[in-house]
């Protein structure tokens, strides 16, 4: 990540997602709703898209895709 110049995009990432996963690497459903986690990740991706491409639309469908695919939300 550092050699790619993406480090600036991930500053504070750990802090924003702190508590999302337990020490065993399993998502901590008892501490954070999956929907809220996905929303936070989409916001991070939108910020990267805004900085890299000048437009956050590149990440617009992320939340919908993840919720449909992993949470079984059919829309």
């Amino acid at each position: 990540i550092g050699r790619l110049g993406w480090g600036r995009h991930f500053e504070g990432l750990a802090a924003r997602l702190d508590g999302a996963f337990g020490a065993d690497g399993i998502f901590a459903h008892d501490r954070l709703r999956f929907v809220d986690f996905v929303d936070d990740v989409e916001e991070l991706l939108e910020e990267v898209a805004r900085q890299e491409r000048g437009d956050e639309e590149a990440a617009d469908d992320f939340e919908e895709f993840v919720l449909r695919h992993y949470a079984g939300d059919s829309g």
Side-chain angles (χ1 to χ4, degrees):
I1 290 180
R3 292 190 323 201
L4 295 174
W6 292 0
R8 69 184 185 278
H9 298 303
F10 299 101
E11 292 176 7
L13 175 63
R16 288 185 68 179
L17 301 178
D18 185 38
F21 296 90
D24 55 5
I26 296 175
F27 185 76
H29 292 279
D30 60 329
R31 288 183 264 164
L32 181 67
R33 292 179 344 147
F34 185 69
V35 173
D36 294 335
F37 170 75
V38 172
D39 187 51
D40 287 346
V41 172
E42 182 181 44
E43 287 179 23
L44 292 169
L45 291 174
E46 287 174 348
E47 182 60 30
V48 170
R50 200 172 12 260
Q51 291 177 10
E52 288 297 312
R53 303 179 100 195
D55 186 1
E56 68 183 43
E57 290 185 27
D60 274 352
D61 296 328
F62 173 80
E63 184 174 11
E64 181 181 337
F65 170 79
V66 170
L67 292 178
R68 284 185 179 193
H69 187 76
Y70 293 105
D73 183 1
S74 61

